[in-house]
Each structure stands twice: as structure tokens, then as C-alpha cells.
Amino acid sequence: MAATPKVGVLVASPTEVTLMRQAVAILERLGVPNELREMSSSRNPDLVDEYARTAFERGLKVLICTTGISGHLAAAVAARTILPVIGVPIASDQMSGEQSLFVTAQMPSGVPVATVGPDAAVNAAVLAAEIVGIGDPDLQAVLWRFK
């Protein structure tokens, strides 16, 4: 039986999956159980709502969300959970990575989203592993070796 995921990796569109597989690869390298799901706060608001509201009870510790033009996915998730949310700004044809970074970092008061650099899926995964590792000496040892 597979281990219960500790990190949820959420992408808003199929075009973001390739980039976020980098995060999944790092989490797997570090031995952090995770799940990759595609859902859009615009196209699947009920799915996003259910996922975010039940993440804590399902044993997740951190959520990583891609953020694009509106930052909706990270904001929608962060508004519905007490778990840390890490936003990965995505550069696209409609918005530069820098613009996406500003959207991700400027969440409303009380709805924080930790933000890494544009397209920085690897950094998001390492940060998520560090958060999960706070109470896990074995993961801490793995992270020390990784760094």
C-alpha cells in the first residue's frame, strides 16, 4: 500500500503538468509521498473547494499550487485550508513570470501564499519537504544530504 501523501501538487491546466513534474521528482527523490492533481478554480470550483477543505483530514501537510494570470488556484486553496500553500508563478503567453510573481505574492490579508520564483517548481518542492520535515528527523537527514 502506498504511503499517505504529505504534499499535494495542484496544477490549473495540462500545460503546467510538465513543469510541476519537476516538483514531484524532487519530492520523490527526498522520499516525500505526494500527489499531483489537475484542477482549476475557474473550471472546477467545487473540486478545488472539496480538495482544499479535506486536505488536512486526508493527512496532507503542504500544498503547492501553480499560479498564472489571476493566481486564483493558490488563492482559492489558501482561503479554504489551514495548511501552508506554496505558489509557483507560471510564465505564459499572456503574462511574464515577473507579472505572475506579483499576482502570487499579493494575496489578500489573512490568505497567505508562500511564493517561490517564476517556474521554480524545484524550490517549491524543497520548501514543502522542509516544512514536512520539521517534525521528521529522518527527512531532516535526507534534506541535509540533499543540500
Side-chain angles (χ1 to χ4, degrees):
M1 186 160 131
T4 301
K6 299 295 181 202
V7 178
V9 180
L10 307 180
V11 299
S13 72
T15 59
E16 299 169 348
V17 171
T18 301
L19 174 68
M20 295 312 291
R21 286 199 192 280
Q22 294 175 25
V24 169
I26 291 295
L27 291 167
E28 289 175 357
R29 178 175 169 188
L30 296 172
V32 179
N34 65 87
E35 61 185 17
L36 175 65
R37 301 278 308 274
E38 180 188 332
M39 58 185 71
S40 164
S41 58
S42 301
R43 293 182 298 278
N44 315 102
D46 293 337
L47 179 62
V48 171
D49 182 68
E50 179 184 351
Y51 185 91
R53 288 186 190 276
T54 64
F56 181 82
E57 292 103 29
R58 291 184 295 110
L60 292 166
K61 303 295 183 197
V62 184
L63 302 171
I64 300 172
C65 300
T66 58
T67 60
I69 293 170
S70 62
H72 281 161
L73 183 57
V77 169
R80 290 167 172 82
T81 187
I82 61 167
L83 295 175
V85 175
I86 302 169
V88 180
I90 303 294
S92 68
D93 293 340
Q94 295 86 23
M95 182 178 273
S96 74
E98 184 178 86
Q99 290 170 316
S100 184
L101 174 64
F102 291 143
V103 168
T104 308
Q106 296 174 340
M107 291 294 131
S109 180
V111 187
V113 174
T115 307
V116 296
D119 298 334
V122 170
N123 281 350
V126 173
L127 179 56
E130 290 171 346
I131 293 168
V132 171
I134 288 171
D136 183 341
D138 293 334
L139 180 53
Q140 292 167 14
V142 170
L143 283 161
W144 277 115
R145 286 191 299 275
F146 175 80
K147 288 200 165 195

